[in-house]
Structures are given as structure tokens and as C-alpha cells.
Amino acid sequence: MRKKIVAGNWKMNTSCPEGVELAKAVVAKSTEVPANVGLIIAPPFTHLCCVSEITEGSKVELSAQNCADHTSGAFTGEVAAPMLTSVGCQWTILGHSERRQYYGETDEKLVVKTKLALEAGLGVILCVGENLDEREAGKHFEVCENQIKNVLYNFTAEDMKKIVVAYEPVWAIGTGKTATAEQAEEIHAHIRKVLADKFGAQVADDTTILYGGSCKPSNAKELFAQPDIDGGLIGGAALKADDFIQIALSF
């Protein structure tokens, strides 16, 4: 059985003290969540050391929101994968649509980042998804397929054990719009097929695929009931511990 996961991407929100309090609340409530549902939180870089102390020994795992495409050197403002593991991170999010849109992150760069993250011992949550123009043009399957092929086809079946895919309909992030459960399932199933074409049915079936577009307590149960949706990459709702845990109880 592939793992169910609810991951919270805090984005550029909370001061460090606020983040500590949020992490404490999530950890305190995490005991309500069944053992077969994983919890991951991704605070800003500035919070990771403090939050790591809070999550240590709990079922809540710690993720960064990005990592550099180098391991060290003269790259002002960047944070390397080994630095993340040194402060207790177990995961990093890569290829989030905001990174692609605002910072020009390419599939080619994501291959390098994914490789370095895996080498450092991090699990990777790789984001894929189409924007509104691509959705309206009927290119959503093609866009997601190309992103999967361009990045993950460079890795092995063994590597895939440490990789989670997050499908983000970019048009549904922060807009309040949500893909219907049927729309989301359709593309999750397609992503799984694209993985099976390269790695075989078993690897594809074992890969956790998360939904990442305005998932909240009110719609999580319907989304998570779909056979190929294994959880969520949560944005705004992850900033409230009650909402985040409620989503994790929606399986």
C-alpha cells in the first residue's frame, strides 16, 4: 500500500515565533492522525532549525520549500541540500509552480536539484501542473506528462522510493478555485500511467501522488476518496493547525 501524506507548504508566511507556535500546535494534534497517514510541514528556511527541535520524535516530518542546484560555493542567498539535512529536514519541495512562474525554474534545473536532494538523503516532493491557458487549451495531460518525463525519467525505480509527486492545477492555487474530484482523479491517473510506462506498474502503484490546488477541510474528503489521490500538498489551510489536521483526518 502506498503511503497517504498530507504536506503543509507554509510558503512565505509567519514570523519565526509564529511558526514555532504553529508547529507546536500541529505536533500536539498529530496524535489524532492515523498511523498510515504521514504529516509533513514545510516552513520558511529561517524557521527550520527551531521547528526541527519541535518535530523531532513526533510523527510530523520536516521539509524545506526548495533547495539549491549546487552543494556549496559562491551562490549568495541559496541553501544547499546538505545544509537542509544538517538542520533536520527529511524532505524538500521542488518545482512548485511559484518557483517555475516567478523564478524561471526549468525542468532541466529540477533534474539537478532532485539529484542533489536525493544524494543528500532528502525525500523530494516534485510538483507538476498546468496553468489556466494550458487547461483551457486541453493541454493539461500533455503538460504534466512532459514535466514528469523531463524530470523523473532521468531517475531510477530505486530513486522513486524517495520521490512523491504533487499535482498542482496552477489555476487553482490561491484562487479559491478547485479542480473537481473527477478532474483531479483523471490527471492523477494519467500521471500514474506515465510513471508506469517508464518504471513499471509496481513502482507507479507505490508512488504517492498528492493533490495541490486549494485543498481544504470542506473538500478534502471528496478528493481523497478518489483511487489515485493519496493526499494533499496544502497551502493556506496549512497555516491553521486545526484545518491542517482536519484535512489529514479526511481519508
Side-chain angles (χ1 to χ4, degrees):
M1 281 290 291
R2 59 183 173 264
K3 191 166 180 65
K4 307 292 187 184
I5 293 174
V6 174
N9 177 13
W10 296 5
K11 305 190 180 183
M12 197 173 70
N13 292 295
T14 72
S15 65
C16 199
E18 289 168 345
V20 165
E21 291 308 308
L22 176 55
K24 285 179 178 176
V26 170
V27 168
K29 293 174 184 295
S30 67
T31 55
E32 302 169 22
V33 177
N36 67 331
V37 178
L39 292 177
I40 299 171
I41 55 174
F45 285 133
T46 49
H47 304 13
L48 291 174
C49 278
C50 294
V51 171
S52 175
E53 294 178 6
I54 295 159
T55 58
E56 188 176 5
S58 77
K59 75 168 283 159
V60 181
E61 297 189 325
L62 187 62
S63 176
Q65 298 176 18
N66 184 32
C67 77
D69 54 348
H70 296 84
T71 52
S72 65
F75 302 101
T76 301
E78 291 294 298
V79 179
M83 295 175 178
L84 297 174
T85 54
S86 77
V87 296
C89 281
Q90 293 121 305
W91 295 87
T92 184
I93 298 168
L94 293 177
H96 191 280
S97 60
E98 290 156 4
R99 299 293 314 170
R100 294 176 187 262
Q101 181 179 350
Y102 303 136
Y103 303 102
E105 198 139 289
T106 62
D107 288 338
E108 291 74 21
K109 186 162 281 194
L110 289 170
V111 173
V112 176
K113 289 189 174 191
T114 301
K115 181 174 182 289
L116 293 176
L118 294 176
E119 285 176 354
L122 292 169
V124 170
I125 301 172
L126 179 75
C127 302
V128 301
E130 80 284 357
N131 62 33
L132 185 58
D133 289 344
E134 291 163 340
R135 163 64 70 162
E136 291 180 341
K139 294 182 176 177
H140 42 293
F141 292 116
E142 178 187 343
V143 168
C144 292
E145 181 169 335
N146 286 340
Q147 289 172 343
I148 292 284
K149 288 181 173 178
N150 290 346
V151 181
L152 294 184
Y153 275 28
N154 292 280
F155 294 91
T156 66
E158 191 64 26
D159 292 330
M160 288 301 298
K161 292 178 181 177
K162 290 283 288 176
I163 295 173
V164 167
V165 177
Y167 165 64
E168 310 177 291
V170 180
W171 47 273
I173 296 173
T175 62
K177 295 179 181 179
T178 313
T180 65
E182 292 73 25
Q183 285 174 321
E185 166 59 21
E186 186 180 43
I187 203 142
H188 276 239
H190 183 68
I191 289 169
R192 208 174 295 285
K193 179 188 178 301
V194 175
L195 292 173
D197 289 345
K198 169 69 173 176
F199 301 107
Q202 188 62 59
V203 170
D205 195 51
D206 289 345
T207 300
T208 298
I209 306 177
L210 308 179
Y211 173 75
S214 295
C215 182
K216 42 193 179 285
S218 59
N219 61 22
K221 193 173 285 290
E222 185 184 9
L223 286 162
F224 295 173
Q226 304 303 311
D228 288 291
I229 299 179
D230 306 314
L233 178 58
I234 315 301
L239 297 173
K240 296 179 179 176
D242 286 339
D243 286 356
F244 184 60
I245 295 299
Q246 198 58 49
I247 291 169
L249 294 172
S250 298
F251 289 99

